[in-house]
Amino acid sequence: MKKRVMVMSEAHFLSSGFGTYSKELLTRLHKTGKYEIAEFASYGKPNVPKVPWLYYPNAPADSDQAALNEYNSNPTFQFGSWRFDKACLDFKPDIVLCYRDPWMDNWIEQSPLRPYFHWVWMPTVDSAPQKQEWIETFSGCDAVLAYSEYGGEVLLNQGKERINYIGCASPGINPDIYKPVPKHQHRIDLNIDPNCFIIGTVMRNQKRKLFFELMKSFKLFLNNTTNEIASKSFLYLHTSYPEKMGWDISRGIMENGLAGKVLMTYICKVCGRFFPNMFQDALCKCKHCGNLSAVCPTVGLGLTVEDLAKIYNLFDLYAQYAICEGFGMPQVEAAACGVPVVATNYSAMRDVVKFTNGYPVPVKTFFRELETDAERAYPDNEVCAEIFNNFFHQTEEQRLAKSMQVRQSTITKYSWDKTAKVWEEYIDTYTPTDLQGQWNAPLRLLPIPDKIDAKIESHHDFVRWIFHLLQKPEKVHQHEGQKILRDLVFGAEMGQGILQPINRDQVFEGIKHRITQMNQAEMIRTGQTSIQPDPFIIQAHEELRKNTE
């Protein structure tokens, strides 16, 4: 019997790092013919392009207002928490694979169906230290992978023997798509001066991507290089703009005196074609169809991978300027095109710049970030500017030799076939424990007491008692148990910057709700309670039948 494998992340057709990983992994696992495969797709809606595996969309259809209201009522629903159990009850996976940020997937641990599947997680470990509650969640996985060698080091250092760390499954590249092309003619084809110098980046417009610092570094480079080099040097930003929680690109250009020196990618909402252009704010006239409908690319309105490779091939240097990275796939894609990478020498960027033979930018200073309580890095802008200057003072022959070296190092290290093989080998060799894979096991109901045991005196004994009810005694000494104990001692829950009064009755009600959910899931799993399948479940099977006929 084939193992039933559920892959859950962002939908495989999205223009995001997680989406790309889904596409490459799902395609290769399916191609082996060894597994029954289901995709549980965050941000995926119904009616997607045909795929030969079971596709469960997590996002409701735009026309289903009731479902949309529910979907938007809880921030974790976008990541799958509202439909995951329903998909599991339908598919009955032997093993669940995920590879997103800790705060996106940590709710899986609380699934009432957790005893019935083997769980492998590759979290985006982008800095140290990781939150203690995340480390404990990782330790609750059956196995943990890392995106980078750096991430693996952090997991081993913090998790010690508690985490079953099994290795690294870095994203790969397709060397037949991401490959060098003759740059002179390529630039002419895209209406770019073939003799100019371009430092480019492909990054999402978000807080941790240092667009302003990159502009400062570029300005330092212009000020300190020769007039000949400065006059033909440009910064290329392939990113979204405007972005609700992102940088004001226009302001950065003005503050750094870079008018006429910044190129961006625009994509037309009418004809769908893209083109590089000098920065024209958020909206400009399409060079292809003439409509005032060209905007900066987004995850939802992005370039094909073939067109993205054309963007990379415009660059002479690629810059990944960020305070941290879980991996940063554009770095590797650019390097596969023979474009040397300049990156902050921290987190996953440290590994990429090392393995692609790029240029590391030393950390100027570390700072502790409030939101994550992790160390983040600011790169040294002066050294970065010096790297730019030294690179463009090389001869064309030297830069070409470097490009060939970068290309070879990259395709040797980063391969999607190697990546998928890491997952495949684990799926083929793991040993299920306890009830894993036993979806037909007898009914297991937990008792729900009407009230708190009157014999309990201390808060510590109360915490032991509630986790005994959940049959999770190990939680008493982990983050969840210790947090409840601390809150009860103080009489207030401390979180989100406010104090909320709390007592044993409130905690007990929360525990009873969890047990009720667990028992309800058990009743459905064993057929004691009959429910109508959700429309998204029905449609998933209908689409698979049509796609495989």
Side-chain angles (χ1 to χ4, degrees):
M1 183 180 296
K2 292 183 177 181
K3 288 183 179 177
R4 301 179 69 81
V5 181
M6 176 179 281
V7 177
M8 60 164 297
S9 183
E10 293 184 3
H12 70 275
F13 52 85
L14 294 179
S15 300
S16 67
F18 294 136
T20 300
Y21 202 105
S22 296
K23 176 185 175 182
E24 300 295 343
L25 178 61
L26 281 161
T27 301
R28 285 166 174 77
L29 290 181
H30 178 266
K31 189 176 180 180
T32 67
K34 295 190 290 186
Y35 318 114
E36 297 290 341
I37 294 176
E39 175 187 5
F40 184 69
S42 288
Y43 308 115
K45 295 184 179 181
N47 303 317
V48 300
K50 292 183 178 181
V51 290
W53 54 77
L54 199 59
Y55 167 83
Y56 295 110
N58 182 60
D62 293 334
S63 58
D64 190 345
Q65 191 57 53
L68 284 169
N69 290 341
E70 183 180 359
Y71 177 76
N72 293 321
S73 67
N74 185 312
T76 67
F77 286 179
Q78 65 182 308
F79 305 128
S81 65
W82 74 315
R83 283 183 169 177
F84 176 72
D85 290 338
K86 295 175 181 178
C88 282
L89 285 167
D90 179 66
F91 183 64
K92 299 178 175 60
D94 294 305
I95 185 170
V96 172
L97 318 179
C98 62
Y99 36 86
R100 293 186 296 186
D101 296 314
W103 47 273
M104 292 179 177
D105 287 339
N106 57 2
W107 51 266
I108 297 173
E109 183 186 28
Q110 300 293 342
S111 169
L113 302 171
R114 175 66 183 92
Y116 301 101
F117 60 82
H118 200 83
W119 181 21
V120 186
W121 191 4
M122 186 170 73
T124 52
V125 179
D126 60 7
S127 54
Q130 293 284 286
K131 288 185 177 181
Q132 189 57 37
E133 56 264 41
W134 293 352
I135 293 295
E136 289 178 0
T137 302
F138 302 155
S139 70
C141 296
D142 294 288
V144 176
L145 288 160
Y147 274 86
S148 65
E149 281 76 2
Y150 168 86
E153 292 168 12
V154 173
L155 291 172
L156 288 171
N157 288 337
Q158 277 193 259
K160 308 299 182 185
E161 69 280 353
R162 292 180 297 162
I163 293 177
N164 181 26
Y165 175 65
I166 59 172
C168 187
S170 298
I173 48 88
N174 184 335
D176 296 324
I177 294 176
Y178 296 105
K179 60 184 179 181
V181 300
K183 200 175 295 291
H184 190 277
Q185 186 58 48
H186 178 59
R187 286 180 171 177
I188 292 175
D189 293 342
L190 290 175
N191 296 311
I192 298 292
D193 180 358
N195 298 310
C196 71
F197 293 146
I198 297 177
I199 299 165
T201 191
V202 176
M203 300 191 295
R204 293 180 73 168
N205 188 358
Q206 53 189 202
K207 176 186 173 183
R208 64 185 175 90
K209 312 294 188 180
L210 299 175
F211 283 98
F212 271 47
E213 299 306 310
L214 179 57
M215 291 186 213
K216 291 177 186 178
S217 299
F218 182 68
K219 182 64 173 180
L220 281 171
F221 156 64
L222 294 180
N223 289 341
N224 293 321
T225 193
T226 64
N227 289 335
E228 179 186 2
I229 291 176
S231 64
K232 60 179 182 179
S233 295
F234 297 88
L235 181 64
Y236 194 119
L237 307 179
H238 180 94
T239 191
S240 56
Y241 175 76
E243 192 72 52
K244 184 177 181 181
M245 300 298 291
W247 297 96
D248 186 339
I249 302 297
S250 179
R251 181 174 180 177
I253 292 172
M254 289 188 294
E255 286 185 358
N256 288 285
L258 295 177
K261 301 297 286 184
V262 176
L263 294 158
M264 289 191 74
T265 304
Y266 289 90
I267 183 169
C268 182
K269 298 174 74 173
V270 174
C271 70
R273 299 175 69 184
F274 83 95
F275 57 94
N277 202 45
M278 202 64 69
F279 178 73
Q280 296 290 320
D281 217 296
L283 182 69
C284 71
K285 183 180 290 188
C286 176
K287 289 187 174 181
H288 301 292
C289 68
N291 288 297
L292 187 63
S293 53
V295 297
C296 300
T298 64
V299 171
L301 182 66
L303 274 62
T304 64
V305 293
E306 292 81 7
D307 286 341
L308 188 58
K310 294 177 183 178
I311 298 298
Y312 291 127
N313 272 296
L314 292 172
F315 304 164
D316 295 289
L317 274 178
Y318 178 89
Q320 191 76 14
Y321 230 50
I323 60 175
C324 63
E325 284 289 357
F327 186 72
M329 290 175 69
Q331 301 172 95
V332 178
E333 293 166 349
C337 293
V339 181
V341 174
V342 180
T344 312
N345 196 31
Y346 180 60
S347 66
M349 295 175 286
R350 181 202 72 181
D351 293 339
V352 173
V353 80
K354 170 186 174 182
F355 292 121
T356 65
N357 278 291
Y359 301 102
V361 180
V363 175
K364 180 75 170 180
T365 186
F366 287 99
F367 70 96
R368 184 60 69 102
E369 187 179 55
L370 177 64
E371 296 90 338
T372 61
D373 198 28
E375 290 293 304
R376 306 302 208 189
Y378 274 119
D380 192 320
N381 293 347
E382 292 184 356
V383 174
C384 182
E386 185 178 343
I387 291 171
F388 293 164
N389 194 24
N390 291 340
F391 181 81
F392 291 116
H393 269 90
Q394 296 180 102
T395 65
E396 185 173 350
E397 290 74 19
Q398 288 173 320
R399 293 197 299 273
L400 179 59
K402 181 67 174 180
S403 173
M404 294 172 64
Q405 180 194 50
V406 166
R407 160 76 175 178
Q408 188 57 50
S409 299
T410 303
I411 63 175
T412 299
K413 173 66 178 177
Y414 297 106
S415 158
W416 280 119
D417 288 338
K418 290 181 181 178
T419 299
K421 201 68 179 177
V422 174
W423 295 93
E424 180 187 345
E425 289 178 354
Y426 185 81
I427 294 169
D428 290 346
T429 58
Y430 83 88
T431 301
T433 59
D434 300 324
L435 293 171
Q436 289 178 0
Q438 299 181 39
W439 288 90
N440 294 321
L443 179 69
R444 299 167 64 247
L445 294 181
L446 298 181
I448 307 177
D450 295 327
K451 58 184 179 180
I452 298 172
D453 190 338
K455 297 177 182 178
I456 296 174
E457 294 182 358
S458 71
H459 290 317
H460 186 267
D461 287 342
F462 172 76
V463 172
R464 290 170 61 90
W465 179 69
I466 61 173
F467 284 108
H468 173 75
L469 294 177
L470 288 168
Q471 294 187 359
K472 295 182 178 181
E474 72 280 0
K475 291 289 185 181
V476 173
H477 301 292
Q478 295 180 0
H479 175 79
E480 184 180 6
Q482 292 303 297
K483 181 181 183 302
I484 292 174
L485 179 59
R486 182 196 66 180
D487 292 347
L488 289 173
V489 170
F490 290 149
E493 184 177 15
M494 295 185 291
Q496 305 300 319
I498 58 175
L499 293 176
Q500 291 282 2
I502 195 168
N503 56 43
R504 291 186 190 180
D505 290 333
Q506 291 169 288
V507 174
F508 181 51
E509 287 302 314
I511 296 299
K512 286 200 298 183
H513 178 69
R514 284 170 63 175
I515 296 176
T516 299
Q517 287 185 313
M518 294 167 70
N519 287 345
Q520 288 174 344
E522 278 292 293
M523 295 289 284
I524 296 170
R525 179 185 68 82
T526 57
Q528 304 296 313
T529 297
S530 179
I531 60 171
Q532 289 295 322
D534 271 46
F536 85 94
I537 297 285
I538 296 172
Q539 185 173 9
H541 288 279
E542 290 176 348
E543 291 296 322
L544 181 62
R545 279 194 294 270
K546 288 191 295 184
N547 295 343
T548 55
E549 285 177 352

